[in-house]
């Protein structure tokens, strides 16, 4: 089973700053089957990135994903007020389980 | 537009059973795999189970294997989760989520979630 470790646990930043979130896998994630989700309180998660670097429909271009193998990054180039939320990475594909990382909370500094 | 609406949640005693449903609309349900994901209060996301588009293949997390059963009725555009031998640690908001493909892909649409509370 692939374990995903997200860091940091909490990121305290101001609007307009750049956010860099890390997701490290215990084994290589095949074919870059890595997704990122955003979740705000009381809401279901929302898909941001799939295939490690492809933005989902309607996601602003300030969100970008990168990485391969065991190291992946979600970058928010300039934080908007609506971006303060919890972010999860997730491994998907034909080898269950489809594990999630523990999440990174991006909070207002 | 894609809609996923969960129902069937509530309060149940440990050892009890509950059946969740997820009514799907806005897409060709029979072409896509479907997942259940849960989130315990104040905790992160946990993938629970997946069913392929045709319903023949299913995957389960170790934490629920042998107690939970996923199924689907493509004629009714509905996904189910039968939960037996419930434990207090099964208390969570349960989300149904659509896969991007017929197999276990990423989750491109989510329902609003339904709360299941296991408590005596």
């Amino acid at each position: 089973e692939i374990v995903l470790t997200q860091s940091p646990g909490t990121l305290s930043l101001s609007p307009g700053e750049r956010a860099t979130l890390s997701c490290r896998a215990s084994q290589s994630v095949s074919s870059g089957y890595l997704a990122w989700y955003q979740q705000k309180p009381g809401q279901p998660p929302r898909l941001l990135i799939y295939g490690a670097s492809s933005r989902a429909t309607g996601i602003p271009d300030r969100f970008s994903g990168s990485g391969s193998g065991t190291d992946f990054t979600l970058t928010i180039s300039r934080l908007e007020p609506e971006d303060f939320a919890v972010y999860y990475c997730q491994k998907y594909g034909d080898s269950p389980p489809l594990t999630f990382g523990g999440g990174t909370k991006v909070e207002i500094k | 537009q894609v809609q996923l609406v969960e129902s069937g949640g509530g309060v149940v005693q440990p050892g009890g059973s509950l059946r969740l449903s997820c009514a799907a609309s806005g897409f060709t349900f029979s072409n896509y795999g479907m997942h259940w994901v849960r989130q315990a209060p104040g905790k992160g996301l946990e993938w629970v189970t997946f069913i392929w588009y045709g319903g023949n293949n299913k995957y389960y997390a170790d934490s629920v294997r042998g107690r939970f059963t996923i199924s689907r009725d493509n004629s009714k555009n509905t996904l189910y989760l039968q939960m037996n031998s419930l434990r207090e640690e099964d208390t969570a908001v349960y989300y149904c989520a659509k896969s991007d493909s017929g197999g276990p892909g990423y989750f491109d649409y989510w329902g609003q979630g339904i709360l299941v509370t296991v408590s005596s």
Side-chain angles (χ1 to χ4, degrees):
Chain A
E1 173 180 339
I2 293 179
V3 176
L4 299 178
T5 302
Q6 292 188 240
S7 62
T10 302
L11 203 49
S12 298
L13 295 168
S14 301
E17 289 193 294
R18 182 185 188 89
T20 303
L21 287 67
S22 172
C23 176
R24 180 159 291 176
S26 59
Q27 305 168 44
S28 181
V29 176
S30 61
S31 304
Y33 286 161
L34 195 286
W36 289 92
Y37 302 87
Q38 176 195 67
Q39 188 179 33
K40 298 179 182 178
Q43 295 184 19
R46 177 176 71 146
L47 175 69
L48 297 176
I49 301 287
Y50 63 93
S53 60
S54 297
R55 266 188 306 276
T57 303
I59 300 304
D61 61 7
R62 64 180 180 272
F63 290 92
S64 63
S66 62
S68 63
T70 60
D71 288 299
F72 299 88
T73 301
L74 175 70
T75 302
I76 311 172
S77 58
R78 294 172 314 278
L79 281 165
E80 297 288 340
E82 62 267 28
D83 299 336
F84 292 92
V86 180
Y87 293 83
Y88 295 95
C89 60
Q90 183 229 353
K91 165 259 179 189
Y92 58 94
D94 279 347
S95 302
L98 283 68
T99 49
F100 286 93
T104 291
K105 181 179 181 181
V106 179
E107 66 175 21
I108 299 176
K109 186 174 181 180
Chain B
Q1 71 283 19
V2 173
Q3 280 200 311
L4 299 169
V5 180
E6 301 94 341
S7 61
V11 181
V12 61
Q13 292 189 336
S17 297
L18 212 54
R19 188 200 202 198
L20 303 184
S21 299
C22 172
S25 61
F27 64 103
T28 305
F29 182 71
S30 58
N31 287 351
Y32 292 91
M34 296 293 296
H35 302 268
W36 288 99
V37 178
R38 69 184 180 183
Q39 187 169 34
K43 302 297 184 182
L45 301 170
E46 180 188 13
W47 170 79
V48 175
T49 181
F50 170 79
I51 186 167
W52 281 74
Y53 66 100
N56 292 336
N57 270 0
K58 307 167 186 182
Y59 305 141
Y60 296 93
D62 287 346
S63 58
V64 306
R65 186 176 291 111
R67 301 187 299 121
F68 289 13
T69 302
I70 189 172
S71 62
R72 63 191 297 160
D73 186 336
N74 286 344
S75 68
K76 295 183 178 179
N77 291 346
T78 303
L79 176 73
Y80 303 101
L81 183 65
Q82 178 67 44
M83 304 185 293
N84 298 332
S85 303
L86 282 160
R87 306 166 180 167
E88 291 190 352
E89 55 265 35
D90 295 318
T91 294
V93 173
Y94 285 73
Y95 297 99
C96 67
K98 173 185 168 293
S99 180
D100 75 294
S101 68
Y106 55 85
F107 310 160
D108 55 1
Y109 291 93
W110 297 65
Q112 285 299 309
I114 191 88
L115 179 62
V116 171
T117 302
V118 184
S119 173
S120 54

